[in-house]
Amino acid sequence: MGKLSAVWRETNHRYRLVAHQCGNCKKMYFPPRDICPDCHRESIGKMKEKQLSGNGRIESFTIVHDAPSAFARQRPYVLALVKLDEGPILTAQIVDSDFSELEAGKKVRAVFRKIREDGKGGIIQYGYKFVLE
Amino acid sequence: MLLSEDVYIIGSGETKFGELWERSLRELAVEAGLRAIESAGIYSKDVQLLYGSNSLGGTINSQNDIGSLIADFSGIASNHIPAIRIEASSASGAAAVREAYLGIKSGEYDCVMVGAVEKMTDLYGTEMLDHMGTLLDREWEAFFGGTPAAMAALSARKYMLDFKVPKEKLLSISVNDHNNASMNPDAQYRNKITMEAAMESTMVAEPLNMMDCSPMSDGAAALVLCSGSFMRKRKLEGVKIMSSAISQDFLALHSRRSIYTMDSTVLAARTAFEKAGLKQKDISFAEIHNSYSIYGMTALEDLGFAEKGRARDVIDAGIGLADPLPINPSGGLKAKGNPIGAVGVGQFVEAVSQISGKAGQRQVKDARIGLLHNVAGTGSTSIVHIVGGA
Amino acid sequence: MSGIVSYGSYIPKYRIKPDEIARVWGEDADSIRTGINILSKSVPSPDEDVATISVEAARNAVRRGKVNAGDIGAIYVGSESHPYAVKPTATIVASAIGADFSLFSADYEFACKAGTAGMQNVKAMVDSGMIKLGMAIGADTSQGAPGDALEYSASAGGTAMILGKENVIAEINSTLSVTSDTPDFWRREGQPYPTHGERFTGEPAYFRHTINASKMLMERMGTKPSDYTYAVFHQPNGKFPTRAAKTLGFSEQQFKDGLLTPVIGNTYSGSMMTGLSAILDKAAPSDRILAVSFGSGAGSDAFDITVTKNIEKMDRESAPTIKKMLSDVKWLDYAIYAKFKKKIIVGDAVE
């Protein structure tokens, strides 16, 4: 238990892929950040929430065999770097695919899935994963 | 401005790296520290400042304030010198050495000790991997199933694809590590491995298998650093730190400019060479941060020994002890071992052995100048030191 | 008149055949196929539950109807496999689609008719002016004990319906329900699998409620089976709804498009609503639909629906159609199925 607030405060970002856009240079950031690394001071107070489409392409992927406890029952699972159409790259699982179907450059889209569970009695943490388009 | 002091390593020591079931965190630290003090030929009362280097004590061992712990059990608590912990993930070791170096350079201290320790094997299996996730961006990498090996694998797949590099090239660094470690009594794995066996080892995070990955290790390493004037006054001998450079990058791999170039390493290396007034060809041997084989490849490029995508040329030219560029004479992170917070200091211990000609069977011929490369996680911090010379 | 403004469904990609289940338990797959007309059933991934299925269905409905999620005033999720015993699924859906903080919401449970009960509730709220738009979801990852007859049919899927008064694609002309205390099927608190009354689930339960609700609604509306283009019923297997339809006087032409259980199994709270979703995928203006759910325990909700011209303006392909979800599948063997459904005990391992 514990960490409830840490999970809860990321809900919008993890459930709906809400990014931050720099009001100065218009660059999109996911995960969200409060200061644009390009515009620095000019971006402060100008980072606006922006909904991402959830569409992107596989930048790279791996099939993870040696898994942390929260993912032990899922192994082997696919972890990927996904480059979203709006620009940001994020780290997420790709599900519902045979490993042989995976390839860098292939189109993927975001889906809503369980990410991890806090044991049988704890909270269920949901968020984005991706499937091949 | 006053001319700052040169900084020398006058003492070094380490424990064996490996699964040291009977040894505790504090015992390991004390063992390495004593060896360093003895080899320096000074007394503990000469030490004016202690930096403890450790990364995962708070999570694995539920122990923080490692600086005080080391000072206390080294029996120097009543000396009341400052003793604090330096943490920079797997680059904690070199970060602590650098802070000690700066402390002496500043003129504030003459004699500083670095004690680095990691006790990893008190946890194992999936639980250990939960803690390894703290080396990444916990909320946006580890939360979604990222592990250090998985992140390295993401870099490896793209690297192998873009530069058409076969898996064997990555593993040749591991094979070389095991070969060198077979001659290092402090190494965790002293067995030589064949390329065939390396290729067939158990998958960890495809395309990386067990032989691409450094192990979980216990171990400690310690150094005594001092100013040139202190060394001359005490009539001691030492190895000079010719330059120290550090650079930082985005914490998460997905935020970086490139997933197979560590900009932090590129910049740290450039600065380290400039400050030392040296070129890559001047390096007699390099200890590189190959926590995963792919990082060994990209290190050769990012440190300036090869163009991007051409680390294979360095490997083909030879990275053995008698080859043009001996890599990881100690056995490296793969075979000597990777006690996270101590590994960077362990590289200095090897460098001192090599430069003072005491490396035994694995002695690199004419080892004059060593390059030491220590990286945090997937490349968020890189630290490069060049040691030796006149 | 109020009615359906948009709709969206979600069926997990994985499937298992009765042959594979029968092989493990030493039963005759042919008799399952012919006896209860189950050819395959959907299986949720280990990372799917009623919340994720509901969210996917809800997002499909929002996308297809070009609805602003902030305009949705109520969300009700009907299921008998909510991921939490206490803590609503509806809140997860609301957050995941970006609904407003000012929102009516709750989870419903009435065996397989909790989703349609939600539709009735939302319709009443729209009609009364409490809300402009409301969403009702029926979804389940239903449980069947290993070796039990239910294991062949208990599947996963769900459908979301957005109801309102403007841009209605299918008007709900009328709805009624029947209710009686009939213990044909239940699951006690804390029990992993439900218990059922075998043959008792037929006549006194499914047929009595489904057929009476259908007849009562047709009587109220002054209609007869031939007035309907389509009829769709709750479908615990392939056999029951077929028999109910025929008893009422519907032809195969009328009920075949809404009959999905033979290929996806029984999605429980999602069952009738997903059949209705398949009909809406192909329906034309002025098509009339009789839609009747059944929930064990027991009761039925009946709906008389007329498709409007607005359906022609809707880009129905803008969200996955049922046909598309039926064509894109991955087959499982029993071992992987057992792992997916967490039927293998692994000490105290965190799942």
Side-chain angles (χ1 to χ4, degrees), chain A:
Chain A
M1 278 295 285
K3 297 192 179 155
L4 293 177
S5 47
V7 173
W8 165 80
R9 86 173 63 91
E10 303 300 346
T11 302
N12 281 349
H13 309 299
R14 290 196 183 134
Y15 280 22
R16 281 190 286 132
L17 282 168
V18 175
H20 275 177
Q21 184 175 36
C22 173
N24 198 49
C25 71
K26 308 296 175 206
K27 197 173 167 195
M28 295 277 254
Y29 291 99
F30 192 92
R33 47 177 77 230
D34 293 332
I35 298 172
C36 171
D38 290 340
C39 301
H40 310 282
R41 183 172 302 224
E42 276 71 37
S43 69
I44 294 171
K46 293 183 195 160
M47 302 300 282
K48 295 276 181 294
E49 289 204 333
K50 197 92 181 182
Q51 177 73 52
L52 295 168
S53 65
N55 298 318
R57 287 174 189 277
I58 299 175
E59 185 77 4
S60 186
F61 69 95
T62 174
I63 300 156
V64 182
H65 295 265
D66 204 9
S69 57
F71 301 90
R73 283 289 288 262
Q74 295 176 27
R75 74 180 164 214
Y77 60 88
V78 178
L79 190 78
L81 291 172
V82 173
K83 186 169 175 57
L84 298 168
D85 287 354
E86 293 87 350
I89 299 179
L90 52 71
T91 303
Q93 286 191 36
I94 295 180
V95 290
D96 290 4
S97 302
D98 294 336
F99 299 148
S100 59
E101 298 175 278
L102 299 168
E103 216 176 296
K106 275 200 174 175
K107 278 190 174 178
V108 290
R109 66 178 165 85
V111 292
F112 186 79
R113 295 291 173 102
K114 274 195 285 197
I115 306 297
R116 48 210 293 164
E117 288 174 51
D118 221 355
K120 275 188 194 288
I123 56 159
I124 305 166
Q125 301 172 28
Y126 297 94
Y128 50 80
K129 293 187 182 179
F130 286 78
V131 294
L132 286 177
E133 187 60 280

